[in-house]
Amino acid sequence: MRMVIIGGGSLASHCAAALTKRDHEVVIIEKDQDKIDVLSQYIDCGFILGDGAKPKFLEEACAKNTDALICLSDSDTDNLLAAQVAKTMGFKRVIVRVEDDELEPVCHNLKMEGVIFTNKQLTREIVNMSELHDGMLRSAYLEGELQFVELTLDENCPKTLDEVELPQQCHLVTVNTGEKCYIPADVKSLNTCDKLLFVSRHEDLAELRKSLGLSSDS
């Protein structure tokens, strides 16, 4: 997949490095040549020198060949502006980093999708990690080997948990029926639209989806 990242700061560089390690093609748009010079020494990706919020440089990034535009500059305003401009230019998917929680109503009014409020997300991750009582699971989670994944069941789902053959390193945490959240031991049946929360390795996600009767892109 081809990913375009706006920004050359710490988060942007970490994401770019992680994506290239997963064999994705990455292009970084950054307006500071000095940052590009530093990043190019250890990240094998393309670079565009310019302001990612301006159409000229987004055009150079080529929307039709890009699977996701990820706005990770240090400015919430620039990220939101870039996302709005990108929507008019045909980018398939736009992911936006926003630090200021007070901007959430603005994003809602603009009907923006793919917005990550980093302070909220970090809080959620800390709480999730603190609730992992198993030492080995907690260690793997901290090292990035495990992640929390929520999957919504469809009409092809198994009827009971006994019918589900989970990958060995995958653990079911909760089942949310929409009315109540249950621990696995209290779940008697599975139904369409139930939301299941798992702790899983990234490489097991395809097998996990298959075990639940879900398509690979659900």
Side-chain angles (χ1 to χ4, degrees):
M1 299 176 73
R2 185 174 189 270
M3 313 291 187
V4 175
I5 296 175
I6 295 176
S10 177
L11 179 59
S13 61
H14 277 83
C15 287
L19 288 167
T20 56
K21 285 182 180 178
R22 292 189 178 182
D23 296 324
H24 295 296
E25 179 186 353
V26 176
V27 176
I28 293 176
I29 304 177
E30 169 56 49
K31 53 189 174 184
D32 186 334
Q33 182 64 56
D34 290 339
K35 284 187 178 181
I36 291 178
D37 291 342
V38 172
L39 294 175
S40 63
Q41 294 179 25
Y42 66 93
I43 301 178
D44 183 17
C45 68
F47 293 92
I48 295 174
L49 176 62
D51 184 346
K54 293 185 177 179
K56 172 184 176 181
F57 300 106
L58 289 174
E59 285 178 5
E60 189 175 343
C62 192
K64 69 177 182 179
N65 294 330
T66 300
D67 294 286
L69 175 71
I70 309 172
C71 306
L72 298 178
S73 79
D74 295 329
S75 167
D76 287 348
T77 302
D78 287 351
N79 288 336
L80 292 172
L81 177 59
Q84 288 297 97
V85 174
K87 284 174 62 177
T88 68
M89 299 179 66
F91 280 88
K92 303 169 191 173
R93 186 181 184 194
V94 180
I95 300 170
V96 189
R97 168 206 187 179
V98 177
E99 289 195 350
D100 188 353
D101 293 342
E102 292 185 2
L103 290 174
E104 188 167 1
V106 176
C107 296
H108 178 74
N109 291 336
L110 292 173
K111 297 181 179 179
M112 297 185 68
E113 299 178 352
V115 180
I116 299 174
F117 292 91
T118 50
N119 289 332
K120 277 190 171 183
Q121 184 71 22
L122 180 58
T123 299
R124 187 180 302 116
E125 292 296 304
I126 291 172
V127 171
N128 285 339
M129 189 269 291
S130 67
E131 291 178 343
L132 284 175
H133 301 296
D134 185 297
M136 292 183 65
L137 280 179
R138 186 163 56 248
S139 176
Y141 184 75
L142 279 170
E143 293 173 6
E145 296 175 14
L146 295 176
Q147 63 189 83
F148 280 88
V149 181
E150 184 180 72
L151 297 175
T152 302
L153 300 181
D154 62 19
E155 64 275 5
N156 299 314
C157 71
K159 301 303 180 185
T160 67
L161 287 176
D162 290 337
E163 299 176 36
V164 181
E165 295 185 10
L166 295 177
Q168 187 174 2
Q169 298 297 322
C170 182
H171 299 267
L172 177 61
V173 182
T174 60
V175 175
N176 190 332
T177 65
E179 297 179 354
K180 190 175 180 180
C181 193
Y182 297 90
I183 61 172
D186 293 336
V187 177
K188 297 180 179 179
S189 63
L190 297 175
N191 299 282
T192 302
C193 295
D194 284 353
K195 296 181 183 296
L196 277 60
L197 180 66
F198 297 92
V199 176
S200 174
R201 299 184 305 178
H202 177 80
E203 56 265 36
D204 291 331
L205 294 183
E207 184 180 349
L208 172 59
R209 291 189 177 97
K210 183 178 179 181
S211 72
L212 297 172
L214 299 172
S215 61
S216 59
D217 59 351
S218 60

